[in-house]
Amino acid sequence: MGNKNKPRILDDDIDLMIRIARHGFVDMDYIQLFVYKGRKIRTIKERLKQLALHDYLIVERTFIPANHTASFRTGYKIVTLGKRGLQYMEDMGYEAKDNTKAFLNYSPYYMYHQVQVATVCDIIQSKYEDGNSNWYVDEILNEKEAYLEDTSNRPDAILIFKQKDKTKTSSVLVYVELERSYPTQTLAEKKIRSYRRVIHEELHAKALSLDIIDYRVLFVCTMRNAKRLLIQKIRDNKDRINFNLLVTGYEDITQHPLDAIYTLPLHEDVQYKLMGQLP
């Protein structure tokens, strides 16, 4: 599968490029989860090497994230679209950000953050599509698409849930916030105020022309010890919260997204499902 000849672009390659166009960056773990199903790791790596050789992809080794098992020799690699990949996506009608020049200047932590957001969103979408739920993710809005100029609100992503019963056209919006550090009181207050306004004034419902029946703000903590601290920060702002705010851990959501793994900080004694009935 991997060689130096110019590749004939296959369906799996297109799937990968579309996913990168949506999220900006992916890594090897993401690719193994969602693309080239049934292929051996070595085969996938050779294919990526071939696509990178012909500028469909850029594959760069960067720092090794905490809790990652790659050796220094193997390294940890971030993948984005190369010039030919960008052109291929444009020819197919997809909008993709050109990261080719800025790629080497981006903070590795920023790129890894984007990879984690991509992983969370696509795992939720995949599991709800195939799992035992009345809901599915109809669309994922990335950070750029989710941003509203007249607010300070910049979620990492928005998941638009709809019911599998096609006679029901209403939606539920889930705002995704991936927390990669220990939260400060100031930042927690700022985010809560921002979401309170966005939800109360139905700004995304108006911008997207959707019939929204419920909103949920989901904080995903990538650091285990940060979850307890974030819950406490939220509880300290309980008088400002009049919307559904959920907290979970990165490992939990990437392994069991459909399960009752979500904490409502104001009702901490019970775990809930993301699309379950909330108090």
Side-chain angles (χ1 to χ4, degrees):
M1 184 176 175
N3 58 60
K4 295 183 179 181
N5 297 326
K6 183 177 179 180
R8 180 173 64 87
I9 300 302
L10 307 174
D11 288 345
D12 281 339
D13 304 325
I14 294 172
D15 182 25
L16 174 59
M17 288 190 282
I18 290 173
R19 289 173 180 273
I20 298 174
R22 178 197 299 163
H23 296 298
F25 304 95
V26 298
D27 65 2
M28 196 64 192
D29 289 343
Y30 176 97
I31 292 170
Q32 287 177 246
L33 273 174
F34 299 110
V35 197
Y36 302 111
K37 296 291 181 65
R39 304 291 181 92
K40 295 180 179 179
I41 295 177
R42 180 178 176 181
T43 303
I44 297 173
K45 288 181 177 179
E46 289 297 322
R47 183 60 173 179
L48 298 182
K49 186 186 298 183
Q50 184 186 18
L51 292 170
L53 179 65
H54 291 273
D55 208 20
Y56 287 95
L57 301 176
I58 297 175
V59 181
E60 286 289 338
R61 188 170 74 171
T62 181
F63 79 122
I64 300 176
N67 301 322
H68 203 273
T69 56
S71 67
F72 179 77
R73 183 182 62 81
T74 303
Y76 172 76
K77 296 176 181 177
I78 295 282
V79 182
T80 193
L81 293 174
K83 289 292 187 183
R84 280 186 173 172
L86 289 163
Q87 186 61 55
Y88 202 98
M89 288 293 93
E90 183 180 331
D91 292 344
M92 289 188 66
Y94 290 94
E95 181 180 348
K97 183 178 179 180
D98 185 347
N99 292 317
T100 54
K101 291 182 179 179
F103 190 65
L104 297 178
N105 297 321
Y106 277 132
S107 161
Y109 292 95
Y110 168 76
M111 292 187 288
Y112 184 52
H113 175 82
Q114 296 303 108
V115 169
Q116 289 182 304
V117 172
T119 302
V120 166
C121 290
D122 286 8
I123 280 181
I124 292 174
Q125 183 177 49
S126 174
K127 295 300 184 181
Y128 270 91
E129 182 69 31
D130 301 332
N132 184 22
S133 173
N134 295 326
W135 297 90
Y136 73 99
V137 178
D138 181 63
E139 188 175 358
I140 299 171
L141 303 182
N142 61 30
E143 183 182 26
K144 179 181 177 182
E145 295 166 330
Y147 176 65
L148 297 177
E149 289 187 5
D150 60 342
T151 73
S152 60
N153 179 271
R154 189 184 287 271
D156 288 313
I158 294 177
L159 306 178
I160 302 176
F161 278 87
K162 292 190 175 180
Q163 296 187 63
K164 291 178 179 177
D165 182 351
K166 300 298 183 180
T167 64
K168 299 177 180 179
T169 58
S170 53
S171 304
V172 171
L173 286 196
V174 176
Y175 297 96
V176 178
E177 288 278 352
L178 196 82
E179 297 297 300
R180 53 179 171 168
S181 60
Y182 288 98
T184 65
Q185 188 65 35
T186 301
L187 185 58
E189 290 177 2
K190 180 180 178 182
K191 288 188 175 183
I192 288 170
R193 285 197 306 269
S194 177
Y195 278 114
R196 181 175 179 173
R197 181 197 166 200
V198 167
I199 293 171
H200 177 70
E201 297 181 17
E202 300 184 324
L203 297 182
H204 276 104
K206 295 171 183 175
L208 300 171
S209 300
L210 291 173
D211 175 20
I212 309 297
I213 58 172
D214 197 11
Y215 297 87
R216 298 178 183 201
V217 178
L218 173 61
F219 283 86
V220 180
C221 295
T222 60
M223 301 172 65
R224 295 176 183 174
N225 295 334
K227 181 180 175 182
R228 172 59 51 193
L229 181 60
L230 176 60
I231 289 173
Q232 185 56 53
K233 300 292 185 189
I234 292 170
R235 289 176 64 85
D236 291 343
N237 286 274
K238 62 182 180 181
D239 293 338
R240 297 185 176 95
I241 300 173
N242 58 356
F243 55 89
N244 292 318
L245 195 159
L246 297 150
V247 179
T248 193
Y250 182 79
E251 290 185 7
D252 292 328
I253 198 169
T254 53
Q255 294 177 22
H256 309 289
L258 271 66
D259 294 351
I261 59 164
Y262 305 89
T263 300
L264 274 171
L266 305 187
H267 301 272
E268 197 179 346
D269 53 328
V270 180
Q271 297 283 92
Y272 298 90
K273 293 185 177 181
L274 179 59
M275 297 304 294
Q277 185 174 353
L278 302 180

